[in-house]
Amino acid sequence: MARFQPGDLVRVGDAQMDAHHRTPAYIKGRVGRVHALSGQYPNPETLAYGADGEPERDLYLVEFDMRGLWGERATGPSGDRLLVDVYEHWLEPADAPGSDGGRA
Amino acid sequence: MSGVHDMGGRPNDDPIDQSQHILSDWERHTHAMVGVLREKRLITTDELRRGIESIAPQEYERLSYYERWSASLETLLVEKGLVTQEEIDARAEVLREKWG
Amino acid sequence: MSTHTHQGHDHGHDHDGHEHEGMLEDVELSERARRVLAMEELLAEKGVVDRTEVQRLIDFQEARSPVDGARVVARAWTDPDYKGRLLSDPEGALLELGYPLVGSAKLAVLENTDAVHHLVVCTLCSCYPTSLLGLPPDWYKSFAYRSRAVVDPRGVMREFGLDVGDTEVRVVDSTADLRYLVLPQRPAGTEGMTEEELVALVTRDSMIGVGVALAPVA
């Protein structure tokens, strides 16, 4: 049973780790909104080291506001978004992003 | 500090080079060998990625795409005991003498 | 590993003029190519892989090209029911047209509309829907594209000659087990065209999102 549903606000974990994982640094610690559920998949963090990836993890397509994410580096108009697939164990429930644009 | 492979948003002013090289046979074989081993469940995509991510940053940036793949494949084959480093070294030497 | 990852630009030009029996004179392998061939030979000798299996996958991959994706797109443009299936069950819809997905990765389809334009990147490696489109172009794997597409997608698209104006841009970073195919918009003025004629308008770049489908020749 998926923990989050489309529309839910989620904060991405900010763990820094050298071990293989599929959460890009630029969304770590940031708040986004669940855009869609992408299904269940073996956990890449154990698959990468010879295990079978069980139990499978729910995967979410999480959307981030480009300006909130990049601040002045964002070059497009407000409304442009970035969508990233993130595994459930990297996500926690979040309140609405604050004036800091979602930075942790 | 994120790994060298974790490139999203990293400052980069380079234009996108849209030129295309013709794939070499060894690049096609690298891709296909990974596919066959994956079908046989002897390696996983994430193991291949982990092997690529373990390449030293300067080396990662210097190597071409399939050089990174083949380096990772070599790491995984040896790690899994499917072939030994000595066997690969020796066979590569034989091939050098044979083909130049 | 560092001693084994050198590219063979230093390979000796020590051809002595006489041809090895049954071999091409101009064959010359880099160190990396020798090591790949060595691995394949050893795996075959040990019975781990059959070299015909390797060749089969090479043949499969070479048989795939953006034209295959274009056929899927053109069918979706001309058959609303098919488009519905493509969006809800991409794997089944691709199989209908004879395109099985190989490997572990699934595929999802992103529909471009007047309101939304999608652009696909993989910042962590170079994930791409190879089962349908063939191997990705070099630029898709470049550090510049992987770095810039998520922060300056409009700038990247302009380099490809695309300005989407007021349309919302959605960049999709293909980080996990899904490969993304962009379903570009059907160009105006193509109402009378057949599915086969439409295929020719669907470019590779339009299915990645750095381009749009071509306008019909007037």
Side-chain angles (χ1 to χ4, degrees):
Chain A
M1 181 65 195
R3 183 180 178 196
F4 303 107
Q5 296 301 320
D8 287 356
L9 289 172
V10 288
R11 185 181 296 280
V12 182
D14 63 357
Q16 307 296 312
M17 50 196 277
D18 291 333
H20 176 72
H21 61 295
R22 299 297 293 178
T23 308
Y26 67 82
I27 59 166
K28 286 182 179 176
R30 299 307 188 91
V31 172
R33 189 181 296 275
V34 174
H35 180 82
L37 278 60
S38 296
Q40 292 86 37
Y41 300 92
N43 183 357
E45 293 163 32
T46 61
L47 273 182
Y49 298 91
D52 62 6
E54 298 292 333
E56 292 194 341
R57 306 293 176 129
D58 282 289
L59 185 67
Y60 301 87
L61 189 57
V62 180
E63 65 173 62
F64 301 85
D65 176 76
M66 290 281 260
R67 288 192 169 180
L69 201 58
W70 300 113
E72 292 181 355
R73 290 186 65 201
T75 56
S78 67
D80 281 2
R81 290 166 217 279
L82 181 49
L83 287 79
V84 185
D85 275 322
V86 187
Y87 292 92
E88 185 172 274
H89 60 282
W90 277 90
L91 299 175
E92 290 295 335
D95 298 326
S99 57
D100 62 352
R103 189 180 289 277
Chain B
M1 182 64 193
S2 61
V4 63
H5 69 284
D6 192 352
M7 293 194 170
R10 186 168 293 169
N12 186 322
D13 295 328
D14 296 340
I16 312 294
D17 181 350
Q18 296 179 44
S19 60
Q20 179 69 35
H21 87 292
I22 296 171
L23 282 181
S24 301
D25 280 346
W26 73 267
E27 295 179 296
R28 296 184 185 281
H29 278 256
T30 299
H31 191 101
M33 235 191 306
V34 166
V36 170
L37 291 165
R38 191 160 44 203
E39 282 181 3
K40 293 179 176 300
R41 296 179 177 277
L42 290 170
I43 66 170
T44 64
T45 299
D46 286 291
E47 285 177 314
L48 182 76
R49 290 165 170 164
R50 183 254 297 171
I52 291 169
E53 291 162 13
S54 71
I55 296 171
Q58 283 186 328
E59 193 75 349
Y60 183 103
E61 292 180 353
R62 191 179 66 78
L63 297 177
S64 70
Y65 183 73
Y66 282 112
E67 284 172 340
R68 297 195 293 271
W69 271 52
S70 63
S72 175
L73 178 61
E74 189 168 330
T75 301
L76 294 175
L77 294 182
V78 171
E79 174 185 300
K80 290 167 179 288
L82 292 168
V83 295
T84 67
Q85 194 67 69
E86 293 70 29
E87 286 175 317
I88 298 172
D89 292 345
R91 183 60 58 94
E93 179 59 20
V94 169
L95 292 170
R96 193 186 64 77
E97 290 169 4
K98 186 173 179 180
W99 298 102
Chain C
M1 176 157 56
S2 61
T3 56
H4 302 301
T5 50
H6 297 299
Q7 194 180 8
H9 289 315
D10 56 347
H11 43 245
H13 291 260
D14 55 357
H15 291 265
D16 53 11
H18 70 261
E19 228 174 308
H20 297 282
E21 192 181 347
M23 297 175 187
L24 296 168
E25 197 172 11
D26 60 351
V27 168
E28 192 174 0
L29 299 175
S30 68
E31 173 63 13
R32 184 37 59 189
R34 285 194 289 270
R35 302 191 76 78
V36 169
L37 184 51
M39 287 190 274
E40 186 175 329
E41 286 188 1
L42 290 162
L43 288 172
E45 288 165 18
K46 291 165 183 286
V48 177
V49 304
D50 185 331
R51 298 188 78 174
T52 60
E53 294 177 296
V54 177
Q55 192 58 50
R56 173 180 57 78
L57 270 195
I58 291 171
D59 294 343
F60 174 86
Q61 207 57 73
E62 286 187 355
R64 285 288 173 276
S65 79
V67 173
D68 298 301
R71 291 188 198 288
V72 171
V73 169
R75 176 65 59 88
W77 284 347
T78 53
D79 180 345
D81 290 339
Y82 182 80
K83 179 177 146 185
R85 293 196 295 281
L86 182 65
L87 294 171
S88 64
D89 174 24
E91 192 165 350
L94 261 53
L95 205 50
E96 280 183 51
L97 297 191
Y99 302 122
L101 296 181
V102 298
S104 54
K106 296 190 179 306
L107 184 138
V109 177
L110 305 162
E111 183 184 11
N112 281 351
T113 65
D114 286 339
V116 176
H117 178 88
H118 293 90
L119 175 72
V120 179
V121 62
C122 171
T123 60
L124 296 176
C125 41
S126 298
C127 296
Y128 188 79
T130 54
S131 290
L132 183 64
L133 301 184
L135 299 176
D138 283 335
W139 61 258
Y140 185 83
K141 303 183 280 190
S142 70
F143 297 163
Y145 186 72
R146 288 167 56 188
S147 299
R148 292 179 52 205
V150 288
V151 61
D152 182 24
R154 289 174 183 264
V156 168
M157 289 190 283
R158 274 194 296 274
E159 285 181 35
F160 284 83
L162 177 62
D163 184 344
V164 298
D166 294 335
T167 307
E168 177 193 322
V169 170
R170 287 188 190 162
V171 180
V172 178
D173 189 353
S174 182
T175 51
D177 288 290
L178 283 167
R179 303 292 177 266
Y180 288 96
L181 175 76
V182 174
L183 174 57
Q185 283 190 282
R186 180 171 176 164
T190 58
E191 291 73 19
M193 293 177 70
T194 66
E195 186 178 327
E196 200 58 34
E197 289 169 334
L198 290 168
V199 169
L201 304 182
V202 185
T203 62
R204 177 195 66 203
D205 288 359
S206 74
M207 293 181 281
I208 301 173
V210 293
V212 292
L214 302 173
V217 178

